[in-house]
Short mmCIF file of all heavy atoms in Angstrom, two decimals:
data_model
loop_
_atom_site.label_atom_id
_atom_site.label_comp_id
_atom_site.label_asym_id
_atom_site.label_seq_id
_atom_site.Cartn_x
_atom_site.Cartn_y
_atom_site.Cartn_z
N LYS A 152 149.80 -42.59 60.93
CA LYS A 152 149.07 -42.30 62.17
C LYS A 152 149.76 -41.24 63.02
O LYS A 152 150.87 -41.45 63.49
CB LYS A 152 148.95 -43.57 63.01
CG LYS A 152 147.68 -44.35 62.78
CD LYS A 152 147.46 -45.36 63.89
CE LYS A 152 148.55 -46.40 63.88
NZ LYS A 152 148.54 -47.39 64.90
N GLY A 153 149.13 -40.12 63.23
CA GLY A 153 149.48 -39.14 64.27
C GLY A 153 150.94 -38.76 64.37
O GLY A 153 151.46 -38.66 65.48
N GLY A 154 151.62 -38.57 63.27
CA GLY A 154 153.00 -38.08 63.32
C GLY A 154 153.97 -39.09 63.91
O GLY A 154 155.05 -38.70 64.35
N GLN A 155 153.63 -40.36 63.94
CA GLN A 155 154.56 -41.33 64.51
C GLN A 155 155.57 -41.80 63.46
O GLN A 155 155.36 -41.60 62.26
CB GLN A 155 153.78 -42.53 65.04
CG GLN A 155 152.98 -42.18 66.28
CD GLN A 155 152.16 -43.36 66.73
OE1 GLN A 155 151.51 -44.03 65.93
NE2 GLN A 155 152.18 -43.61 68.01
N ARG A 156 156.63 -42.42 63.96
CA ARG A 156 157.62 -42.98 63.04
C ARG A 156 157.80 -44.46 63.30
O ARG A 156 157.71 -44.92 64.45
CB ARG A 156 158.98 -42.28 63.21
CG ARG A 156 158.99 -40.85 62.73
CD ARG A 156 160.38 -40.28 62.70
NE ARG A 156 161.19 -40.71 61.56
CZ ARG A 156 161.14 -40.15 60.36
NH1 ARG A 156 160.35 -39.14 60.12
NH2 ARG A 156 161.92 -40.59 59.37
N ALA A 157 158.05 -45.18 62.21
CA ALA A 157 158.41 -46.60 62.32
C ALA A 157 159.93 -46.65 62.40
O ALA A 157 160.61 -46.26 61.47
CB ALA A 157 157.92 -47.36 61.10
N LEU A 158 160.41 -47.12 63.56
CA LEU A 158 161.86 -47.30 63.73
C LEU A 158 162.15 -48.78 63.58
O LEU A 158 161.58 -49.61 64.30
CB LEU A 158 162.27 -46.81 65.13
CG LEU A 158 163.68 -47.17 65.59
CD1 LEU A 158 164.75 -46.51 64.72
CD2 LEU A 158 163.87 -46.76 67.06
N VAL A 159 163.01 -49.12 62.64
CA VAL A 159 163.38 -50.53 62.45
C VAL A 159 164.86 -50.66 62.76
O VAL A 159 165.70 -49.93 62.21
CB VAL A 159 163.08 -50.99 61.01
CG1 VAL A 159 163.65 -52.38 60.77
CG2 VAL A 159 161.57 -50.99 60.77
N ILE A 160 165.15 -51.58 63.68
CA ILE A 160 166.56 -51.82 64.05
C ILE A 160 166.92 -53.21 63.55
O ILE A 160 166.36 -54.21 64.00
CB ILE A 160 166.77 -51.77 65.58
CG1 ILE A 160 166.09 -50.54 66.19
CG2 ILE A 160 168.26 -51.76 65.90
CD1 ILE A 160 166.16 -50.51 67.72
N GLY A 161 167.85 -53.26 62.61
CA GLY A 161 168.29 -54.55 62.06
C GLY A 161 169.66 -54.91 62.58
O GLY A 161 170.54 -54.05 62.70
N VAL A 162 169.82 -56.20 62.89
CA VAL A 162 171.11 -56.69 63.38
C VAL A 162 171.53 -57.88 62.53
O VAL A 162 170.75 -58.82 62.33
CB VAL A 162 171.04 -57.12 64.86
CG1 VAL A 162 172.41 -57.56 65.36
CG2 VAL A 162 170.50 -55.98 65.73
N GLY A 163 172.75 -57.83 62.04
CA GLY A 163 173.33 -58.98 61.36
C GLY A 163 174.53 -59.46 62.14
O GLY A 163 175.41 -58.65 62.48
N LEU A 164 174.56 -60.76 62.48
CA LEU A 164 175.72 -61.31 63.20
C LEU A 164 176.21 -62.54 62.44
O LEU A 164 175.42 -63.48 62.17
CB LEU A 164 175.34 -61.73 64.63
CG LEU A 164 175.03 -60.62 65.64
CD1 LEU A 164 174.61 -61.22 66.98
CD2 LEU A 164 176.22 -59.69 65.82
N ASN A 165 177.48 -62.55 62.11
CA ASN A 165 178.08 -63.70 61.42
C ASN A 165 178.26 -64.83 62.43
O ASN A 165 179.00 -64.66 63.41
CB ASN A 165 179.44 -63.33 60.85
CG ASN A 165 179.36 -62.20 59.85
OD1 ASN A 165 178.34 -62.02 59.19
ND2 ASN A 165 180.44 -61.44 59.73
N CYS A 166 177.60 -65.94 62.17
CA CYS A 166 177.67 -67.03 63.15
C CYS A 166 178.48 -68.22 62.65
O CYS A 166 179.46 -68.63 63.25
CB CYS A 166 176.26 -67.49 63.52
SG CYS A 166 175.32 -66.26 64.41
N LEU A 167 178.04 -68.82 61.56
CA LEU A 167 178.59 -70.12 61.18
C LEU A 167 179.54 -70.06 59.99
O LEU A 167 180.00 -71.10 59.51
CB LEU A 167 177.43 -71.08 60.86
CG LEU A 167 176.47 -71.31 62.03
CD1 LEU A 167 175.22 -72.07 61.59
CD2 LEU A 167 177.16 -72.06 63.15
N GLN A 168 179.84 -68.88 59.50
CA GLN A 168 180.74 -68.76 58.35
C GLN A 168 182.12 -69.35 58.67
O GLN A 168 182.62 -69.23 59.79
CB GLN A 168 180.93 -67.29 57.95
CG GLN A 168 179.75 -66.67 57.26
CD GLN A 168 178.81 -65.95 58.20
OE1 GLN A 168 178.72 -66.29 59.39
NE2 GLN A 168 178.12 -64.96 57.72
N GLN A 169 182.71 -69.95 57.65
CA GLN A 169 184.11 -70.39 57.70
C GLN A 169 184.94 -69.34 56.96
O GLN A 169 184.38 -68.52 56.22
CB GLN A 169 184.23 -71.76 57.01
CG GLN A 169 183.41 -72.86 57.66
CD GLN A 169 183.95 -73.26 59.03
OE1 GLN A 169 185.12 -73.06 59.32
NE2 GLN A 169 183.09 -73.80 59.87
N PRO A 170 186.27 -69.37 57.13
CA PRO A 170 187.08 -68.30 56.50
C PRO A 170 186.81 -68.15 55.01
O PRO A 170 186.79 -67.03 54.49
CB PRO A 170 188.52 -68.77 56.78
CG PRO A 170 188.41 -69.56 58.03
CD PRO A 170 187.08 -70.25 58.00
N GLY A 171 186.58 -69.23 54.29
CA GLY A 171 186.37 -69.15 52.85
C GLY A 171 185.12 -68.39 52.45
O GLY A 171 184.94 -68.03 51.29
N HIS A 172 184.21 -68.17 53.40
CA HIS A 172 183.00 -67.42 53.07
C HIS A 172 183.25 -65.92 52.92
O HIS A 172 182.40 -65.21 52.40
CB HIS A 172 181.94 -67.62 54.16
CG HIS A 172 181.32 -68.98 54.14
ND1 HIS A 172 181.43 -69.87 55.19
CD2 HIS A 172 180.62 -69.63 53.19
CE1 HIS A 172 180.80 -70.99 54.89
NE2 HIS A 172 180.30 -70.86 53.69
N PHE A 173 184.38 -65.45 53.39
CA PHE A 173 184.64 -64.01 53.32
C PHE A 173 185.58 -63.72 52.16
O PHE A 173 186.75 -64.09 52.18
CB PHE A 173 185.23 -63.51 54.64
CG PHE A 173 184.29 -63.69 55.80
CD1 PHE A 173 184.59 -64.58 56.83
CD2 PHE A 173 183.08 -63.00 55.85
CE1 PHE A 173 183.72 -64.76 57.89
CE2 PHE A 173 182.21 -63.17 56.92
CZ PHE A 173 182.53 -64.06 57.93
N ALA A 174 185.05 -63.05 51.13
CA ALA A 174 185.83 -62.81 49.92
C ALA A 174 186.33 -61.37 49.89
O ALA A 174 185.84 -60.50 50.62
CB ALA A 174 184.96 -63.08 48.70
N GLY A 175 187.30 -61.11 49.02
CA GLY A 175 187.79 -59.76 48.80
C GLY A 175 188.32 -59.14 50.09
O GLY A 175 188.99 -59.80 50.88
N GLU A 176 187.94 -57.87 50.30
CA GLU A 176 188.48 -57.18 51.48
C GLU A 176 187.94 -57.75 52.79
O GLU A 176 188.55 -57.59 53.84
CB GLU A 176 188.22 -55.67 51.39
CG GLU A 176 186.76 -55.27 51.42
CD GLU A 176 186.60 -53.75 51.60
OE1 GLU A 176 187.56 -53.02 51.32
OE2 GLU A 176 185.51 -53.34 52.02
N LEU A 177 186.79 -58.46 52.69
CA LEU A 177 186.24 -59.06 53.92
C LEU A 177 187.15 -60.15 54.47
O LEU A 177 187.10 -60.48 55.65
CB LEU A 177 184.85 -59.64 53.64
CG LEU A 177 183.72 -58.64 53.36
CD1 LEU A 177 182.41 -59.38 53.21
CD2 LEU A 177 183.62 -57.62 54.49
#
Side-chain angles (χ1 to χ4, degrees):
K152 267 195 295 177
Q155 290 176 315
R156 291 190 77 84
L158 168 64
V159 172
I160 314 175
V162 182
L164 290 178
N165 300 332
C166 293
L167 300 170
Q168 287 93 333
Q169 299 291 336
H172 287 117
F173 298 113
E176 65 169 20
L177 291 184

